[in-house]
Amino acid sequence: MAFVRVCALSDLEEDTPKLVEVDGTPVSVVRTGGEVFAINDICSHANVSLSEGEVEDCQIECWLHGSSFDLRTGKPSGLPATRPVPVYPVQIQGDDVLVSVTQES
């Protein structure tokens, strides 16, 4: 699994998604509740950026139609979305946030 530095931990504001790109994949990185999560930035319902949405209770809400996704699992928790979005492993090394979008073989 290849981890890539995406930002500094100090760059992440609580409950404010940050859009980054990892190996050509758009990823929303979110710091919430003392943890950092990485979720695919594209809503599975409407193909819009999740990083423009709101974060609350470990959920990210799509700004367009209001679908919500669990930051831990990617599963939708609010309609109209019915398909999950990928989530990615995160590592913190000092002040560096690293994300991997590759699958282990």
Side-chain angles (χ1 to χ4, degrees):
M1 197 174 297
F3 282 86
V4 176
R5 184 190 184 280
V6 295
C7 65
L9 185 60
S10 57
D11 289 342
L12 297 176
E13 295 181 38
E14 186 77 8
D15 296 330
T16 302
K18 179 175 184 65
L19 176 61
V20 299
E21 190 171 297
V22 181
D23 296 333
T25 301
V27 176
S28 287
V29 179
V30 180
R31 184 179 192 170
T32 186
E35 295 184 74
V36 177
F37 300 94
I39 188 167
N40 191 285
D41 188 58
I42 305 301
C43 177
S44 63
H45 170 257
N47 198 31
V48 298
S49 177
L50 292 175
S51 62
E52 296 178 33
E54 303 282 324
V55 173
E56 186 176 340
D57 296 329
C58 216
Q59 306 280 322
I60 190 166
E61 182 181 67
C62 178
W63 63 270
L64 187 58
H65 294 118
S67 296
S68 292
F69 299 91
D70 189 306
L71 290 168
R72 297 164 293 221
T73 65
K75 292 181 180 176
S77 56
L79 294 173
T82 58
R83 290 175 295 137
V85 294
V87 295
Y88 307 111
V90 174
Q91 289 183 353
I92 307 298
Q93 293 180 354
D95 191 46
D96 293 332
V97 178
L98 297 93
V99 174
S100 175
V101 296
T102 60
Q103 297 292 325
E104 289 189 58
S105 303

